[in-house]
Amino acid sequence: MKKIILVTSITVASAFSTVSAEQVVKPAPRVATQTQAEFFQAINQHCGNSYAGEVTVDTPSSEGFEGPLIMHVRKCGDHKIEIPFHVGDNHSRTWILTQTGSGISLKHDHRKPDGNYDPLTMYGGHTVDKGHATAQSFPADAYSKELFIELGAPQSNTNIWQMYIHDETFTYRLVREGREFRVDFDLTQPVETAATPWGYAD
């Protein structure tokens, strides 16, 4: 009887050791809803391409968006996408989309011509629901709200950024009470890729 108990104990311990080892070497799974994965996939299909856009809504009118508007799907992946947004000779803006496990984060990486960070940088938002395969919304996150207050722009705390992607059009949109800004890009006609965004390297 003792022998039977001893053999059983060794067998159980061995099995437990094997399971533990497998658990240690397996990476944590990346989590995303189906619609958010499809949203990423739709953008990734344009990897490497650049497209021209135009401001279709700007209320009230703002400055700083004169000149050719070009988006470049520069870095792609299931976890992270980087999209520089060029405005004429201004290469300071890069949109960064990241799968976080609880949704998608949108950040605005703003740089100076020498590559250093602009004081107003890495602001953005995070999805609060699954969204749609063609559209995601990003209400301002906590970091952004603190930054806006610190830099004297508390009205931006209610910002909601949105991105839409359809067969022929990609849209970047900002909305809050009393403010709407929208740029639509033509996905049917790739254009020449703009310069490397400030602070990045090829």
Side-chain angles (χ1 to χ4, degrees), residues 43-114:
I43 297 176
N44 278 327
Q45 289 178 353
H46 298 275
C47 191
N49 290 344
S50 295
Y51 302 99
E54 63 176 337
V55 176
T56 53
V57 180
D58 188 15
T59 307
S61 181
S62 59
E63 298 180 352
F65 293 93
E66 297 77 27
L69 307 180
I70 304 293
M71 63 168 281
H72 175 204
V73 187
R74 183 173 182 270
K75 183 176 180 180
C76 318
D78 295 333
H79 178 62
K80 186 176 181 180
I81 299 174
E82 295 178 359
I83 307 174
F85 173 37
H86 305 276
V87 181
D89 293 329
N90 186 320
H91 310 295
S92 64
R93 303 173 178 88
T94 297
W95 301 322
I96 301 176
L97 293 166
T98 306
Q99 293 272 19
T100 66
S102 58
I104 303 174
S105 166
L106 167 65
K107 289 294 185 178
H108 299 73
D109 184 356
H110 284 197
R111 304 292 185 98
K112 297 179 179 180
D114 62 4

Side-chain angles (χ1 to χ4, degrees), residues 49-52 186-192:
N49 290 344
S50 295
Y51 302 99
D186 181 5
L187 299 181
T188 66
Q189 296 291 333
V191 299
E192 184 178 351

Side-chain angles (χ1 to χ4, degrees), residues 8-60:
T8 302
S9 300
I10 293 173
T11 303
V12 171
S14 177
F16 180 78
S17 176
T18 301
V19 171
S20 298
E22 290 177 352
Q23 289 176 339
V24 169
V25 300
K26 286 184 177 179
R30 290 178 179 172
V31 181
T33 67
Q34 182 65 28
T35 53
Q36 290 167 347
E38 291 174 356
F39 178 76
F40 255 59
Q41 182 180 6
I43 297 176
N44 278 327
Q45 289 178 353
H46 298 275
C47 191
N49 290 344
S50 295
Y51 302 99
E54 63 176 337
V55 176
T56 53
V57 180
D58 188 15
T59 307

Side-chain angles (χ1 to χ4, degrees), residues 95-188:
W95 301 322
I96 301 176
L97 293 166
T98 306
Q99 293 272 19
T100 66
S102 58
I104 303 174
S105 166
L106 167 65
K107 289 294 185 178
H108 299 73
D109 184 356
H110 284 197
R111 304 292 185 98
K112 297 179 179 180
D114 62 4
N116 285 318
Y117 294 111
D118 189 273
L120 183 62
T121 192
M122 296 310 288
Y123 63 87
H126 195 284
T127 57
V128 295
D129 54 37
K130 68 178 182 179
H132 303 276
T134 58
Q136 295 289 333
S137 295
F138 310 90
D141 57 28
Y143 166 80
S144 302
K145 292 178 180 180
E146 290 187 7
L147 182 65
F148 292 146
I149 291 174
E150 179 183 343
L151 297 181
Q155 70 277 8
S156 296
N157 280 12
T158 57
N159 280 5
I160 299 175
W161 295 273
Q162 298 173 329
M163 286 184 170
Y164 307 85
I165 183 163
H166 298 282
D167 291 340
E168 298 184 353
T169 308
F170 177 90
T171 297
Y172 168 90
R173 182 174 183 240
L174 162 67
V175 291
R176 66 170 181 262
E177 184 175 357
R179 174 67 171 147
E180 180 177 1
F181 177 79
R182 174 174 176 151
V183 184
D184 291 319
F185 297 88
D186 181 5
L187 299 181
T188 66

